[in-house]
Every structure is written in C-alpha cells, then in structure tokens.
Amino acid sequence: MEITQGIIKKLSEAGLKITPQRVAVMQTLCKLRMHPTAEELFAEVSKIIPGLSATTIYNTLDTFVEKGMIKRVKTDADVMRYDAITEHHHHLYCAVSDRMEDYFDNELDEMLSAYFERKQIKGFRISDIRLQLMGDFNERKQTQ
Amino acid sequence: MEITQGIIKKLSEAGLKITPQRVAVMQTLCKLRMHPTAEELFAEVSKIIPGLSATTIYNTLDTFVEKGMIKRVKTDADVMRYDAITEHHHHLYCAVSDRMEDYFDNELDEMLSAYFERKQIKGFRISDIRLQLMGDFNERKQTQ
DNA sequence: CGTTAATTTGTATTTATTACAAACAAGTTT
DNA sequence: AAACTTGTTTGTAATAAATACAAATTAACG
C-alpha cells in the first residue's frame, strides 16, 4: 500500500524504528478525520495490533509529537482552567511558562466577524470565535 | 469591602446562597490575574477557608459555570486530542457533539498576521495564532 | 430561634496519564 | 544468517484530575 510506504518513510526520516505499532498508530491517526483521544486511538489501533498496550499509545504519541510528526490539540500542559471574565475575549498563552492571560480587542473581533460573515464555512455555523495567541511574555525586560 | 459586596450581589442575583466558600472562590478567581486551575484555586482559597474540601472547589466552579458567572477555558470535554496534520490550521469545534474538525484558511491567516504585525501586543511576542471556531455542524439528522 | 433545602465535607471511585523494569524486536555488525 | 546492541513495547503500579454520593452542616426563610 502506498499509504504504509509513506508512513514508513516518515518514520525512518525521523530516525525512528519501524514497528507495527507505530505504523498502525500513524495510519489510524491519518485515517480518522476527527481528532481522536489517546483512548480512542487505543481502541482503534487495538483492532490492528491485538495485544497492544495502552502505554504504547502514549509512548508513540509522545514520540511523534517530539519529532514534530503530529500535533497535540489544545494547550500542552493540559489541565482545566477557569476564568472569571465572561465577556468575550481571547487568550495569550506561553507554553514554556504555562502562563495564560486575557486579551481584549474589539477591533479584531469586528474584523473577524465581518470576515466570517462574508466567508461562510459550509456545514458549520459559528457561534463564537476564540483566538489563542501562542508566544511568550517578555518577562525579563520591557522592550518598549 | 466593596469587592465582597459586589460578589455577594452577583451570587444572590444568580439565586445562590452566600457561603464563605463561594465568596472566597470568586474573590480569589477575580484576584488571580492568570487562569488558575482547580488545584491552584484549592490551594489559594484554603488560605482563607482552612478546612476547605477539594470537592467544594469543583462543585463551586461547576455552579459558577452553570450560572454563567465564570467561564471554563479550553474546550468543555477536556481530554487531550491528537492531530496528524502539522501544517498551520484552525479548528471547528462543537461542544454539544464534542466533535472537532480542521479548518484551513490562508486568506484568514494572512489577514491575521497583517493585523498583528500592525497592532503589537505590549509584553507579548506572538509565535502562533490559533483560532477555535465554536459552533455546530449542520448534521442532517433533524428536520432540515 | 427553628425548619428546610441547599451546600459542604469526606471518602471512595473513575479516568487520563506517567513511571519503571523486564521482555522483546528492529536494525546493524560480523 | 546469527549475534549484538539499543530502542521499543509491555504490564503493573502509581499519580493526578475530576466525579459520585451519603452524611454532616449551614444559609435563608419565616
């Protein structure tokens, strides 16, 4: 199969050993149009690799993320957070310091709603637009 | 204190009983500029309410979210997800069905980077802009 | 005050994830 | 191709975040 070949190529390019588990995980990940959780992947990949261990799923996914072959959706240090501000706003987030701050920008909001008014997404009705601005807080000095 | 009064007002407007725990949680949540986790809140609020139970934190936060007094940051059904696509893209997310899909939009990306090129955020250097478009997929299951 | 229903507490459980050592297998060397 | 070396997988156990639930407590009302 072409797909399998492509995966094998990707794996060896990343300097990883070609194991049935890794091939199956990557294959499944590519096949599943949605964004599966580790659990969902475990269930799915287990169909291909019977005695698969859940740990392998986590190991494999971590390795893939490390090598930049896949991405983790949502922030990296993933625990639920709470926000007292209920007005519409966005977030500045630094993955290194795991710090998150609010960002308000009316001009941006207007630009975005005008944009999506014009450009409809087929099959999806937007109710809220949330931006996560990844980056870092210039904590050492003020560059102003 | 004025702040406490405001909180008490908010609580009774929401039809909730005024308890020291709730006041302290809301107070702390407003004070902490960042977005604390339940654990962080537990630690912080425990300083005010000594024998506080962790369960109370979860209960209280859930109640506040229900009443729309606070917001949960990140998606509601919060488990880690993985994505095989590493190119820059955004997400369409429906909280009801807990379904997430990719969204690519070059025009949007260009507009956004032009925007943030012009409008710098003081104290923060952006490295990546991620949009989460909340809404619902028009799945043809009901009377459509 | 006294009553009642909401709230908090504490304990036990569940779920997602990580740690770790032993078993194993991929890729290389000979 | 057999042996070797190292990376990978497995299984078990541990940790962390969150939830369920019954009992104890307390706020808000008259």
Side-chain angles (χ1 to χ4, degrees):
Chain A
M1 286 170 190
E2 317 301 303
I3 307 144
T4 310
Q5 282 316 109
I7 289 167
I8 289 174
K9 198 179 155 218
K10 259 195 183 176
L11 285 170
S12 58
E13 277 172 2
L16 296 173
K17 287 188 179 170
I18 318 299
T19 69
Q21 288 87 343
R22 282 178 178 162
V23 174
V25 169
M26 185 53 93
Q27 223 167 232
T28 306
L29 205 40
C30 292
K31 191 168 55 193
L32 295 179
R33 59 278 123 195
M34 264 53 117
H35 298 74
T37 62
E39 299 260 306
E40 287 165 346
L41 275 169
F42 178 52
E44 200 63 23
V45 177
S46 288
K47 292 179 189 168
I48 311 174
I49 314 277
L52 180 76
S53 165
T55 310
T56 300
I57 290 289
Y58 286 102
N59 286 343
T60 305
L61 291 170
D62 286 350
T63 307
F64 287 175
V65 170
E66 244 170 64
K67 297 290 178 183
M69 300 166 70
I70 66 172
K71 278 201 177 172
R72 246 189 266 274
V73 175
K74 290 185 288 184
T75 64
D76 294 11
D78 211 56
V79 189
M80 194 75 83
R81 286 162 189 283
Y82 295 89
D83 189 350
I85 296 167
T86 52
E87 296 113 62
H88 184 266
H89 65 277
H90 305 287
H91 288 121
L92 309 178
Y93 179 70
C94 171
V96 179
S97 59
D98 190 34
R99 187 175 148 192
M100 180 179 272
E101 286 199 6
D102 289 329
Y103 177 65
F104 297 87
D105 190 335
N106 255 82
E107 191 189 347
L108 174 66
D109 291 337
E110 276 162 31
M111 179 177 80
L112 285 170
S113 43
Y115 180 83
F116 283 110
E117 193 109 0
R118 174 165 70 75
K119 188 168 195 162
Q120 301 280 339
I121 299 170
K122 62 176 187 320
F124 194 76
R125 192 171 49 85
I126 297 174
S127 60
D128 192 16
I129 300 174
R130 298 183 192 168
L131 251 103
Q132 183 157 34
L133 296 163
M134 310 291 294
D136 51 88
F137 298 95
N138 322 324
E139 329 210 29
R140 31 251 152 109
K141 288 187 211 174
Q142 291 166 332
T143 48
Q144 270 294 43
Chain B
M1 282 175 186
E2 316 303 303
I3 307 146
T4 310
Q5 282 317 110
I7 289 168
I8 288 174
K9 197 178 155 222
K10 258 196 185 177
L11 285 170
S12 58
E13 277 173 2
L16 296 174
K17 288 189 177 169
I18 318 300
T19 68
Q21 289 87 344
R22 281 179 178 161
V23 174
V25 168
M26 185 52 94
Q27 224 167 230
T28 306
L29 204 41
C30 291
K31 192 168 56 195
L32 295 179
R33 58 279 122 192
M34 262 57 116
H35 299 74
T37 62
E39 299 260 305
E40 287 164 348
L41 275 169
F42 178 52
E44 199 63 24
V45 177
S46 287
K47 292 179 190 168
I48 310 173
I49 313 276
L52 180 76
S53 165
T55 310
T56 300
I57 290 290
Y58 287 103
N59 286 343
T60 305
L61 291 171
D62 285 351
T63 307
F64 287 176
V65 170
E66 242 171 65
K67 298 290 180 185
M69 301 167 69
I70 66 172
K71 277 201 179 175
R72 247 189 266 273
V73 176
K74 291 185 286 184
T75 64
D76 294 13
D78 209 55
V79 188
M80 193 75 82
R81 285 162 190 283
Y82 296 87
D83 189 349
I85 295 167
T86 52
E87 297 112 61
H88 183 267
H89 66 277
H90 305 287
H91 287 121
L92 308 178
Y93 179 70
C94 172
V96 179
S97 60
D98 190 35
R99 187 173 147 192
M100 180 180 272
E101 285 199 8
D102 290 328
Y103 176 65
F104 298 86
D105 190 334
N106 255 81
E107 191 189 346
L108 173 67
D109 292 337
E110 276 161 31
M111 179 177 78
L112 286 169
S113 43
Y115 180 83
F116 284 110
E117 192 108 1
R118 174 164 72 75
K119 187 167 197 162
Q120 300 281 338
I121 300 171
K122 60 173 191 320
F124 193 78
R125 192 170 50 84
I126 296 173
S127 61
D128 192 15
I129 300 173
R130 297 183 193 169
L131 253 103
Q132 184 158 32
L133 297 163
M134 310 292 294
D136 50 86
F137 297 95
N138 322 324
E139 312 189 67
R140 40 276 173 187
K141 50 185 173 183
Q142 284 176 344
T143 49
Q144 242 294 22

